[in-house]
Amino acid sequence: MFPRPIEKSGATAKAAYQAFLPIALIMWLLPLLAIFLTSIRSAADINSGNVFGWPSEFALIENYAAVFTQSAAAQYMLNSVLITVPSVVISVALACLAGYALAIYRFRVALPLFFLFVAGNFIPFQILMVPVRDMSVQTGLYDTIAGQFLFHAAFQTGFCTLFMRNFIKALPFDLVESARIEGVAEWRIFWYVVLPLVRPAIAALAVLIFTFVWNDFFWANVLTQGESAKPITAGVRALNGQFVNNWHLVSAASLLAAIPPVVCFFLMQRHFIAGLTLGAVK
Amino acid sequence: MADAVVTDTRTRTEPGFFRRNKLAIAPWIFLIPALIFFAIYVVIPIFESLWLSLYQWNGLYDAEGNSTAVWVGFENYARLWGDPNFWTSLRNNIAWLVLYMLAVPAGLFIALFLNQTVTGMRFYKSMFFFPFVISQVVVGLIFGWFYNPDFGVVGTVWKAIFCEETTNILGNTTFRCERPVPDILSSEQWATYGIIAAGLWPQIAYCMILYLTGLNNVAADQIEAARLDGAKGWKMLWYVVVPQLKPATFIAVVVTVIGALRSFDMIAIMTQGGPFGSTNVLSHYMFEVAISEYGERYGYGSSIATVLFGIMLIFISYFLWRMYQDEKGGR
């Protein structure tokens, strides 16, 4: 193990290390802690200039309730859910199929097609912006929930296919081979042999794509206009304009926007990290 | 008897077309849904954008439903050449690329610091990763507030060090400062660096987690062997550990390059490209040009997107080439 385990350096070193850890953590998360403290302050504190010190009174419930009652935050949150969940389902489903095809069958264009998905995943959004926006306007998908999740699902299919293909490639090929000798139909091999084995990959992709799509801001701006289809990320920015100088409300709204992916991460940490390393660093 | 054998082989050798070509057709059936979706929303739009960059178009259609785009050839690119905002954006993109790379060694450093097994370590590791999970919009808002000279953390700390609190005649507190409090995001000179610093926060967290996973796989016997040979500290890190972390480093570099060139959210939230366009990058400038209050300029916007795409393509080609080498080696 590197660096040398701290236990081997003696009790003093270990104690010092353990004492320093929380300090380092607080320094690292200082911006987040500061905004959390702000979000539970009262308006009086903000107006009197006490924005950094300890809150004179706690207004956690008042502030978070105010965000919901004084703005369209509830609508934005709902929109985010309605955009994110179908995106995850569609992209992961498509990627299971495509990943299976690219990993199991040997055909000439398998590798070029795989690279197409990989490359598509790395391109800048701006190169897609005008045609996708124009297409959405033409088909009536502009400023709708569906318009957003269809795009996200298609775009994230690239990443999901990359991940899924590598995952399936690492499975023992004998399983498929012997099923074929038994005369099992190809789609049954996919459904009964491979799909049960890729469950960890599905879990990893689901949390990752959830986070990616939930945190999207660019496409929310490109594909929506009004409040009816805006997700929370774009909503928070709108609130920032609406609650000028009401920093306690802006902070509360920002933290609300951050909660779902954070919960997702803590619940499925192991899968999340496996996904982030693109399956390459195990 | 012989007849029976013949008919039997005939039914075996002449099954239906689909059955005979099962292994050639099946992959396409699995692939088609993803391919169609991906083609409509990703592949075709790329070419449409490249094509559109040769037109001038405000995004409107005439009564018959025909696009009003006018062919202008390479005029958009000629205009880009003379557009100071374009050059500022490009320069900022380079600043992002270079400074964002700091996330890689910084992430390694924190990963090394956290690679211990004392109690509660899992909790600390996940908390250090926290900034990556939250939206960049939120990170941008947090730092926008953090940098605020009047009531942000930077302002407060600065006042504590350089300023003296006085009370004026009306009884309000004012500050008299040796040096004025810096307003980072309103400074043409510093705003970009302020945003990059904010962007580094989640990116370092990402690189850290890649390295923490990588460090789990470092071969313990090699470390022990090197230790017996007297290697330690920096030498051990550089000659024994870092080479083994190569896969993690590769991915860290890939995601950092992509992240740097994709930076949009933070700029849109923190400065909207200002002051006076000084914090624009290509991705944000493109958006600003294509969908602006002064009407849409899809053609000019597409030419900016094409330049950004070209830059990205250099990196993408390199990554794909590396992946191709691995694929060949992996067989």
Side-chain angles (χ1 to χ4, degrees):
Chain A
M1 218 176 130
F2 184 85
R4 180 187 289 272
I6 200 86
E7 287 90 344
K8 289 190 183 166
S9 313
T12 340
K14 191 180 170 190
Y17 179 76
Q18 271 178 316
F20 183 62
L21 264 178
I23 299 171
L25 182 65
I26 288 171
M27 274 157 56
W28 180 241
L29 293 181
L30 189 64
L32 203 63
L33 292 174
I35 204 150
F36 176 70
L37 278 183
T38 309
S39 82
I40 58 174
R41 259 174 229 288
S42 62
D45 258 9
I46 304 283
N47 294 334
S48 68
N50 177 17
V51 281
F52 193 51
W54 197 248
S56 63
E57 54 178 324
F58 292 96
L60 181 121
I61 295 161
E62 289 93 315
N63 287 348
Y64 284 83
V67 171
F68 281 111
T69 52
Q70 295 176 21
S71 75
Q75 174 81 50
Y76 297 143
M77 287 293 260
L78 178 67
N79 290 343
S80 271
V81 173
L82 293 178
I83 294 165
T84 309
V85 173
S87 306
V88 172
V89 173
I90 299 174
S91 58
V92 174
L94 292 181
C96 285
L97 294 166
Y100 175 75
L102 294 174
I104 296 291
Y105 298 94
R106 287 156 190 267
F107 56 117
R108 198 171 299 155
V109 289
L111 207 57
L113 279 180
F114 174 57
F115 282 166
L116 178 75
F117 283 115
V118 178
N121 174 51
F122 290 146
I123 57 168
F125 296 142
Q126 283 70 21
I127 195 81
L128 309 176
M129 184 182 114
V130 170
V132 168
R133 182 177 154 104
D134 183 47
M135 182 164 62
S136 303
V137 171
Q138 296 300 308
T139 51
L141 288 169
Y142 181 68
D143 209 16
T144 63
I145 303 279
Q148 291 174 80
F149 77 64
L150 285 175
F151 172 79
H152 285 302
F155 188 81
Q156 299 299 346
T157 296
F159 175 76
C160 294
T161 305
L162 154 71
F163 189 81
M164 214 33 122
R165 182 264 189 191
N166 284 344
F167 194 91
I168 297 176
K169 195 104 197 165
L171 297 175
F173 188 67
D174 304 351
L175 286 173
V176 177
E177 199 79 286
S178 49
R180 274 188 191 152
I181 292 167
E182 299 278 326
V184 182
E186 294 297 309
W187 69 271
R188 292 178 71 95
I189 299 181
F190 168 72
W191 192 260
Y192 291 108
V193 179
V194 174
L195 213 50
L197 293 173
V198 297
R199 269 194 218 131
I202 293 177
L205 283 176
V207 277
L208 266 187
I209 302 303
F210 181 90
T211 311
F212 289 163
V213 175
W214 184 279
N215 288 342
D216 162 71
F217 177 68
F218 181 75
W219 292 101
N221 279 302
V222 171
L223 296 176
T224 70
Q225 207 167 24
E227 282 183 3
S228 60
K230 242 189 216 349
I232 186 74
T233 44
V236 162
R237 189 214 220 167
L239 296 184
N240 192 24
Q242 187 191 334
F243 292 149
V244 186
N245 287 336
N246 283 318
W247 275 98
H248 52 305
L249 297 185
V250 177
S251 321
S254 319
L255 288 176
L256 276 175
I259 287 173
V262 166
V263 169
C264 212
F265 166 66
F266 277 104
L267 288 181
M268 307 191 67
Q269 222 181 102
R270 200 165 45 86
H271 292 302
F272 194 97
I273 289 166
L276 274 183
T277 55
L278 310 182
V281 188
K282 294 240 172 59
Chain B
M1 184 73 186
D3 278 340
V5 172
V6 168
T7 43
D8 192 66
T9 44
R10 188 173 290 166
T11 49
R12 274 209 186 159
T13 49
E14 287 182 24
F17 171 80
F18 181 79
R19 196 157 272 252
R20 259 184 294 130
N21 295 298
K22 184 170 78 169
L23 290 186
I25 295 170
W28 292 102
I29 293 175
F30 285 113
L31 268 170
I32 274 170
L35 273 183
I36 291 178
F37 234 56
F38 203 65
I40 292 176
Y41 271 113
V42 180
V43 182
I44 297 169
I46 294 176
F47 292 99
E48 282 178 331
S49 274
L50 298 180
W51 188 239
L52 252 174
S53 73
L54 306 174
Y55 285 86
Q56 192 164 44
W57 188 32
N58 57 8
L60 298 180
Y61 289 83
D62 63 18
E64 280 93 58
N66 298 315
S67 142
T68 57
V70 180
W71 170 269
V72 291
F74 286 91
E75 205 178 281
N76 285 328
Y77 293 95
R79 261 176 67 201
L80 268 188
W81 188 262
D83 181 350
N85 286 326
F86 167 74
W87 292 107
T88 310
S89 307
L90 192 61
R91 214 174 31 244
N92 284 336
N93 262 123
I94 294 166
W96 270 88
L97 259 181
V98 172
L99 292 173
Y100 227 45
M101 278 300 154
L102 289 175
V104 178
L108 175 61
F109 178 78
I110 297 181
L112 289 172
F113 170 65
L114 292 178
N115 194 34
Q116 295 290 348
T117 46
V118 298
T119 34
M121 215 53 223
R122 261 181 68 109
F123 168 77
Y124 282 108
K125 285 176 184 172
S126 22
M127 289 312 275
F128 267 85
F129 183 62
F130 211 92
F132 180 75
V133 186
I134 54 185
S135 156
Q136 298 225 334
V137 172
V138 175
V139 175
L141 279 174
I142 294 177
F143 272 84
W145 173 81
F146 200 79
Y147 288 148
N148 190 298
D150 297 323
F151 44 76
V153 176
V154 169
T156 312
V157 171
W158 188 277
K159 279 175 197 156
I161 300 172
F162 293 108
C163 302
E164 217 180 319
E165 198 175 320
T166 51
T167 311
N168 68 10
I169 319 164
L170 296 170
N172 296 323
T173 47
T174 52
F175 291 94
R176 186 180 295 171
C177 301
E178 283 170 49
R179 297 179 200 183
V181 184
D183 188 353
I184 296 171
L185 294 180
S186 306
S187 141
E188 279 184 64
Q189 198 185 351
W190 296 109
T192 291
Y193 301 106
I195 303 173
I196 296 175
L200 274 171
W201 190 46
Q203 194 63 31
I204 289 172
Y206 193 172
C207 293
M208 175 206 81
I209 210 81
L210 291 173
Y211 277 122
L212 272 177
T213 334
L215 280 170
N216 270 336
N217 296 341
V218 167
D221 50 342
Q222 286 195 30
I223 304 273
E224 286 316 312
R227 231 167 234 154
L228 288 181
D229 288 341
K232 55 184 175 194
W234 290 106
K235 276 205 159 145
M236 174 78 111
L237 178 65
W238 189 250
Y239 292 105
V240 183
V241 179
V242 168
Q244 292 196 56
L245 291 174
K246 224 171 149 193
T249 307
F250 176 64
I251 296 184
V253 170
V254 171
V255 296
T256 306
V257 167
I258 304 283
L261 289 175
R262 272 204 186 148
S263 53
F264 172 88
D265 300 4
M266 296 220 180
I267 294 158
I269 289 289
M270 293 171 82
T271 62
Q272 293 178 293
F276 310 111
S278 63
T279 57
N280 249 335
V281 293
L282 290 177
S283 61
H284 189 266
Y285 185 49
M286 185 276 171
F287 178 83
E288 205 177 88
V289 163
I291 313 180
S292 71
E293 298 146 37
Y294 317 108
E296 276 131 2
R297 285 184 287 168
Y298 280 178
Y300 195 47
S302 295
S303 68
I304 301 171
T306 303
V307 172
L308 182 61
F309 180 64
I311 297 170
M312 210 85 129
L313 214 50
I314 301 171
F315 294 102
I316 295 175
S317 317
Y318 171 68
F319 302 149
L320 287 184
W321 181 75
R322 280 281 304 263
M323 280 182 75
Y324 180 63
Q325 299 298 319
D326 285 352
E327 287 289 326
K328 274 201 314 191
R331 289 304 143 92

